[in-house]
Amino acid sequence: YKINTAFYEAMGIKGWEALEQTVNYIPATHFKIADAKRGDIGNTSAQYAKTFFEAYKFDAVTVAPYMGEDSIRPFLEYDDKWTIVLALTSNKGSADFEQLKMSTASGRQQFLFEKVMQKVSEWGTPDNLMFVVGATKTEQLEDIRKTFPRHFFLVPGVGAQGGSLKEVSKAALTSDGGILVNASRSIIYASSNESFAADARRVAKEYIDEMKKYLKT
Amino acid sequence: YKINTAFYEAMGIKGWEALEQTVNYIPATHFKIADAKRGDIGNTSAQYAKTFFEAYKFDAVTVAPYMGEDSIRPFLEYDDKWTIVLALTSNKGSADFEQLKMSTASGRQQFLFEKVMQKVSEWGTPDNLMFVVGATKTEQLEDIRKTFPRHFFLVPGVGAQGGSLKEVSKAALTSDGGILVNASRSIIYASSNESFAADARRVAKEYIDEMKKYLKT
């Protein structure tokens, strides 16, 4: 489960109570991601890591890379937890900075998000570090997979944002899986009437069945 | 007051209750910044804006720019509120990405943080947008002020992080002021014994008296 903390936070204290209850509802067997996009100077990032890994028992948290190494390290210091760093996100704004081109020392052109992935991958391992790579970026996903064959990618943007599960799987699946595909709005807004639970279940099951096909081949 | 939300969040629900109480303690005459470093895709950033501008009545919130325009716009849409975007931060990790050099269309070399400031300044105005420029970067602060003569800069890093109030003022003060200098740890850790309140007051007053001198000249 990838829980977007903003929608809880916006309700104030009631929201944080609901967040705690939501996390407790999810069985321990299921992987729980706090989609919180945190990141600050070192001593403050340590507090954010404590928030999501200790106070709320998430397995993973999403982290923004802009402030660099000391803003990311505190998350990576937890055993058996995952740090998921924003690389190439699924939104339109990813063109503004993430996809800026810059020259490397060797004179090659490189996108900012590639530079981010390259540096950040030196701070963690494929066993405690994932990257966010949006499902709407399939044309680049294949190249990214070639450069980072062993890291898990968290892939949001399937469904409401228009990403295709098939295209994503084709571009980035590895023999171990290697992708964690997320669909949120297409499931939680499956319907708004009394059959909501059944409708949401049906849409989720469709994704699962489709994904199973790609995992087999 | 610049309130670092991470230290409240790490305490769970109790922390959010304390945050609400802290905000309510501060008189309405005083400017209140949520130092929360939020930023996500558009619909989610809108929830974060709601959190800090509506649920908690802050005047300003710090925002991370990595995800681009739609991650920042929702904050700028509030009247009489300030969006404070990370540009060049005071921490060591600012060298990792913020200070990466890239070529512009005209062939000139530009730092990522300059590119961020340039783009983001097109989305807001000097009346609803500030930039974080760390006090530890005084050698660059003067150039940044020349490029952005009208924007307020939030300048953290004076005190515990080693920034000099004098140097910062020399580099970035304008005739209207134009800088909001923040010292946190040097004040809240002024002492740890019973005289804490008096000690913190004394250190804060020293900063105020020093700043008054620079504002006069």
Side-chain angles (χ1 to χ4, degrees):
Chain A
Y1 286 87
K2 179 174 84 62
I3 294 177
N4 184 331
T5 61
F7 289 78
Y8 293 87
E9 294 182 42
M11 296 174 65
I13 287 160
K14 275 186 195 167
W16 284 90
E17 283 170 356
L19 176 65
E20 194 170 331
Q21 284 168 19
T22 306
V23 176
N24 290 341
Y25 261 124
I26 304 172
T29 47
H30 288 56
F31 194 73
K32 291 180 279 294
I33 301 168
D35 194 8
K37 313 257 181 0
R38 297 298 198 265
D40 206 308
I41 65 173
N43 75 322
T44 304
S45 273
Q47 295 296 316
Y48 283 128
K50 200 178 152 193
T51 303
F52 296 106
F53 292 154
E54 295 183 38
Y56 291 98
K57 317 282 183 204
F58 280 96
D59 300 300
V61 60
T62 53
V63 172
Y66 187 73
M67 295 180 69
E69 182 169 357
D70 63 306
S71 72
I72 293 178
R73 280 245 179 246
F75 295 96
L76 290 165
E77 277 164 13
Y78 280 77
D79 289 335
D80 302 320
K81 299 284 185 183
W82 290 85
T83 306
I84 308 178
V85 176
L86 302 180
L88 179 59
T89 56
S90 53
N91 64 321
K92 197 163 161 280
S94 71
D96 291 320
F97 306 120
E98 299 170 14
Q99 296 181 69
L100 282 178
K101 275 207 166 172
M102 50 184 66
S103 303
T104 59
S106 62
R108 201 168 65 82
Q109 286 280 303
Q110 194 177 35
F111 289 116
L112 174 61
F113 77 84
E114 293 176 303
K115 188 86 189 167
V116 164
M117 292 181 77
Q118 182 199 310
K119 274 227 169 179
V120 173
S121 67
E122 294 166 11
W123 306 331
T125 74
D127 294 319
N128 68 0
L129 176 70
M130 297 187 207
F131 291 106
V132 174
V133 186
T136 53
K137 313 290 172 190
T138 38
E139 66 294 1
Q140 285 160 306
L141 200 48
E142 207 166 337
D143 282 339
I144 300 173
R145 173 52 81 203
K146 274 184 202 142
T147 317
F148 296 91
R150 291 182 58 226
H151 285 82
F152 253 93
F153 298 158
L154 174 65
V155 187
V158 161
Q161 291 182 62
S164 149
L165 192 54
K166 186 176 179 179
E167 294 291 315
V168 164
S169 301
K170 203 176 140 195
L173 258 186
T174 68
S175 55
D176 297 329
I179 56 174
L180 205 60
V181 178
N182 168 250
S184 300
R185 280 177 274 173
S186 54
I187 293 173
I188 59 178
Y189 298 136
S191 79
S192 56
N193 52 40
E194 281 184 14
S195 64
F196 163 74
D199 293 336
R201 186 173 190 278
R202 180 179 45 76
V203 175
K205 201 170 169 305
E206 282 168 13
Y207 282 125
I208 292 170
D209 290 343
E210 190 186 346
M211 191 73 209
K212 273 185 185 160
K213 276 198 303 193
Y214 307 136
L215 282 168
K216 267 187 203 154
T217 54
Chain B
Y1 286 86
K2 181 174 83 64
I3 293 178
N4 185 332
T5 62
F7 289 79
Y8 292 87
E9 293 183 41
M11 294 173 66
I13 287 159
K14 275 186 193 168
W16 285 90
E17 284 171 357
L19 177 65
E20 194 170 332
Q21 285 169 19
T22 306
V23 177
N24 290 340
Y25 260 125
I26 304 172
T29 47
H30 288 57
F31 193 74
K32 292 180 278 294
I33 301 168
D35 194 7
K37 313 249 179 12
R38 295 300 197 266
D40 206 307
I41 64 173
N43 75 324
T44 305
S45 272
Q47 294 297 316
Y48 284 128
K50 197 178 154 195
T51 302
F52 295 106
F53 292 154
E54 296 184 37
Y56 290 98
K57 317 280 182 207
F58 279 96
D59 301 300
V61 60
T62 54
V63 172
Y66 186 72
M67 293 179 68
E69 182 169 357
D70 63 305
S71 73
I72 293 178
R73 281 247 180 243
F75 296 96
L76 290 164
E77 276 163 13
Y78 279 77
D79 288 335
D80 302 320
K81 300 285 183 180
W82 290 84
T83 305
I84 309 178
V85 176
L86 302 180
L88 179 58
T89 57
S90 54
N91 63 321
K92 198 163 160 281
S94 70
D96 291 320
F97 306 120
E98 298 169 15
Q99 295 180 70
L100 281 179
K101 276 207 165 169
M102 50 185 66
S103 303
T104 60
S106 62
R108 202 169 64 84
Q109 287 280 302
Q110 195 177 34
F111 290 115
L112 174 61
F113 77 85
E114 293 175 304
K115 189 87 191 167
V116 164
M117 293 181 77
Q118 182 201 308
K119 275 226 166 179
V120 173
S121 66
E122 295 166 11
W123 307 330
T125 74
D127 294 320
N128 67 1
L129 176 69
M130 300 188 205
F131 291 106
V132 174
V133 185
T136 53
K137 313 288 173 190
T138 39
E139 66 295 357
Q140 285 160 304
L141 199 47
E142 207 165 335
D143 283 338
I144 300 174
R145 173 52 80 203
K146 273 183 204 144
T147 317
F148 296 90
R150 294 183 55 226
H151 285 81
F152 254 92
F153 299 157
L154 173 66
V155 186
V158 160
Q161 292 182 61
S164 151
L165 192 54
K166 187 176 180 178
E167 295 291 316
V168 164
S169 302
K170 204 176 139 195
L173 258 185
T174 68
S175 56
D176 297 329
I179 55 173
L180 203 60
V181 179
N182 167 252
S184 299
R185 280 178 275 174
S186 54
I187 293 172
I188 58 177
Y189 298 136
S191 78
S192 55
N193 53 41
E194 282 182 14
S195 64
F196 162 75
D199 293 336
R201 185 174 190 278
R202 180 179 46 75
V203 175
K205 201 170 171 306
E206 282 168 13
Y207 282 125
I208 292 169
D209 291 343
E210 190 186 346
M211 191 74 210
K212 274 186 184 157
K213 276 196 305 191
Y214 307 137
L215 283 168
K216 268 186 201 155
T217 53

